[in-house]
Amino acid sequence: MKKTVSIFSSLALSVGVLAGCGLGPDEEAKEPAGNNEKKTETTEDGMPPKPDKLVVWEDTKRGVALEPAIKAFEEKYGIKVEYKEVEMATKQRDQLRLDGPAGTGPDVITVPHDQIGQLVTEGLIREIKVDQEVLDRFTESSIKAQMYDGKLYGLPKAVETPVFIYNKKLMDKAPETMDELYEFAKKFTKGDQYGFLALWDNFYFAHGVIAGMGGYVFKENNGALDRNDIGLNNDGAVKGTEYIQKWYKEGLFPKGIIGENGGSAMDGLFNEGKVASVMNGPWAFQGMKDAGIDIGVAPMPKLPNGEPVKTFMGVKGWHVSAFSKHPEWATKLIEFITNEENAKIRFELTQEIPPVKSLINDPLIAENEGAQAVAIQSQYAIPMPNIPEMAEVWAPMATALQLVANQKAEPKKALDEAVKTIKTNIETNHPSK
């Protein structure tokens, strides 16, 4: 599943070394020269004395976008910033568990937002405090993704969510509604040609339909997700799953895109020019272009009930390590590197789409069809739940959706069984405190 999938086009860069890597613990623990003098400085805007340096872990092949922001920060505040590229999806979290307590870790890390709950639970990142004007810079959903239990633990860096992608040779323009798309698919689909394909046996993609029809994973109460209130078998979820089953039952989706190899099978068909349109994410753009497909990209068409497809949204964010000795300045740094100017530079260099409201209509993004579609779809998207209990949702929902896709179970029965399993696993693996 490509959900941290990470996902955007990249530029390679060799980077400088991070303090602590290649150094013995004694060397790393030494007080930097001149540190005593720093402690006597007056504070700036109520800030504590400036540190000699801050250390950032950036994602692999993304340092090129961080360097201009670091240079500007150093010039403005006189604080040296070092960075190291560390794979974001799992290695930053795993390495922080070791380097943080040892005192050799960074001040700032970047991770997918669905890891926030686990990081907070383990005491690896800290709550941050920023002014309202900083929060207002970003889309509401991207800020919500950076919160856990009603508290803010980071600032958003980039967003990703599935969108509607079509082959311009086979489809003139993106349809406004799923009803239009359904009618097109019925006429177009024959033999090994398909009008529209989606991996709806995969909950990451199916969620858009289920949530758009009224289902939900965990209910949000006062800014916190309630693990005991699961809406994956309510009336809306059942209607959404019935709609999904219709596409399989009527032969509009081939059996070959069900299961573990469904993604590669779907990509292959589209890149061979046999599929007019798909639901996929920005990570797929380059492969399609490389295959010679002239693609169009748009937000997902509206569902039969008039609601948008409420796709899952992934948000990469910047976070302050719980082990940082300079949390206020680390927070100042992430405020700075996510501002409008630096977010725009990041997009130019990496194509990572910033959830900065003022940039959605900026020509740089507005004239980029893929980026604009992701930016618009993100406004309807729902951040993937970032509480640890979300780990118990994926497998039972995959089982239920595959049974539905293969017509081996009715949606209501399959969803009831999935929710029962999810609740049992939550109680077993995440005992109530």
Side-chain angles (χ1 to χ4, degrees):
M1 182 183 307
K2 296 175 181 176
K3 60 179 189 293
T4 61
V5 42
S6 290
I7 298 179
F8 298 99
S9 58
S10 60
L11 296 171
L13 182 74
S14 297
V15 301
V17 295
L18 171 67
C21 293
L23 294 177
D26 291 338
E27 291 177 274
E28 183 63 25
K30 289 178 182 177
E31 192 82 348
N35 194 58
N36 291 333
E37 286 77 14
K38 287 283 183 182
K39 291 180 180 177
T40 64
E41 291 183 358
T42 57
T43 60
E44 181 177 327
D45 298 329
M47 295 288 286
K50 295 180 182 180
D52 285 328
K53 72 176 179 180
L54 294 169
V55 176
V56 180
W57 283 355
E58 169 65 291
D59 193 12
T60 53
K61 301 180 182 179
R62 297 290 189 268
V64 64
L66 184 59
E67 286 187 341
I70 283 177
K71 183 178 179 181
F73 182 85
E74 290 177 333
E75 291 175 353
K76 181 172 183 177
Y77 293 106
I79 299 171
K80 181 176 177 58
V81 180
E82 296 181 355
Y83 78 91
K84 177 185 178 181
E85 291 187 349
V86 180
E87 193 272 323
M88 178 192 67
T90 57
K91 290 187 179 179
Q92 292 212 18
R93 176 186 59 194
D94 295 344
Q95 198 166 326
L96 185 61
R97 287 171 175 150
L98 301 174
D99 292 359
T104 58
D107 297 280
V108 172
I109 66 169
T110 181
V111 295
H113 85 272
D114 56 339
Q115 292 184 11
I116 290 175
Q118 190 63 42
L119 290 167
V120 172
T121 301
E122 293 185 36
L124 298 176
I125 59 174
R126 67 172 69 225
E127 180 185 4
I128 64 170
K129 304 286 187 182
V130 300
D131 293 338
Q132 186 61 42
E133 64 181 302
V134 174
L135 296 178
D136 291 342
R137 180 190 302 164
F138 305 98
T139 60
E140 182 180 355
S141 57
S142 69
I143 286 294
K144 185 180 292 187
Q146 300 302 299
M147 302 187 75
Y148 176 72
D149 202 18
K151 297 177 181 179
L152 183 68
Y153 284 92
L155 291 179
K157 166 188 181 183
V159 296
E160 60 200 18
T161 195
V163 288
F164 184 79
I165 309 171
Y166 61 101
N167 184 333
K168 289 183 177 180
K169 185 178 179 181
L170 303 177
M171 180 180 281
D172 294 333
K173 63 178 182 178
E176 295 289 328
T177 68
M178 290 299 297
D179 284 340
E180 292 176 56
L181 181 60
Y182 172 74
E183 292 302 323
F184 172 87
K186 285 187 71 174
K187 294 176 183 177
F188 187 90
T189 301
K190 55 185 174 182
D192 61 353
Q193 283 199 322
Y194 298 90
F196 171 68
L197 295 181
L199 301 177
W200 281 345
D201 68 318
N202 179 327
F203 183 54
Y204 176 71
F205 294 98
H207 173 271
V209 177
I210 291 172
M213 292 287 198
Y216 57 88
V217 185
F218 302 111
K219 193 75 170 180
E220 183 179 332
N221 294 318
N222 299 319
L225 295 174
D226 184 354
R227 72 178 208 167
N228 297 314
D229 189 341
I230 299 174
L232 292 175
N233 61 339
N234 66 12
D235 289 344
V238 173
K239 288 178 182 176
T241 308
E242 288 173 345
Y243 182 75
I244 285 171
Q245 189 178 55
K246 179 172 82 167
W247 287 77
Y248 291 96
K249 186 178 289 187
E250 296 187 14
L252 298 176
F253 289 177
K255 293 181 179 179
I257 69 164
I258 299 174
E260 189 175 336
N261 298 318
S264 57
M266 186 181 78
D267 291 345
L269 288 169
F270 186 85
N271 292 345
E272 290 169 14
K274 296 177 179 178
V275 181
S277 62
V278 294
M279 176 186 187
N280 212 331
W283 53 86
F285 294 166
Q286 194 58 49
M288 294 169 171
K289 293 175 182 177
D290 291 344
I293 306 296
D294 183 14
I295 63 170
V297 189
M300 289 297 298
K302 288 189 176 180
L303 290 164
N305 63 354
E307 290 294 315
V309 174
K310 296 182 179 178
T311 49
F312 265 146
M313 177 174 68
V315 183
K316 301 174 184 178
W318 293 107
H319 309 274
V320 176
S321 166
F323 306 97
S324 173
K325 295 179 181 178
H326 314 288
E328 295 89 352
W329 282 106
T331 300
K332 180 72 74 175
L333 175 61
I334 66 175
E335 287 181 16
F336 188 85
I337 63 180
T338 57
N339 66 26
E340 180 179 342
E341 180 181 358
N342 289 314
K344 188 172 181 177
I345 292 171
R346 175 169 286 274
F347 174 74
E348 289 179 300
L349 295 176
T350 68
Q351 295 297 291
E352 291 178 299
I353 299 163
V356 176
K357 289 186 287 189
S358 62
L359 292 179
I360 292 176
N361 295 316
D362 186 282
L364 185 70
I365 289 179
E367 295 172 9
N368 182 311
E369 194 174 9
Q372 180 72 350
V374 172
I376 294 171
Q377 183 63 38
S378 293
Q379 296 180 80
Y380 310 126
I382 296 174
M384 280 186 292
N386 61 13
I387 60 176
E389 289 84 351
M390 183 62 188
E392 311 306 335
V393 173
W394 299 108
M397 284 302 293
T399 298
L401 290 165
Q402 287 180 23
L403 288 171
V404 166
N406 288 315
Q407 291 115 61
K408 293 181 178 179
E410 289 303 311
K412 174 63 174 171
K413 182 178 179 181
L415 293 177
D416 283 346
E417 188 61 34
V419 170
K420 180 181 177 181
T421 302
I422 292 167
K423 289 182 175 180
T424 298
N425 291 346
I426 287 175
E427 289 302 321
T428 301
N429 300 323
H430 309 269
S432 301
K433 296 180 181 178

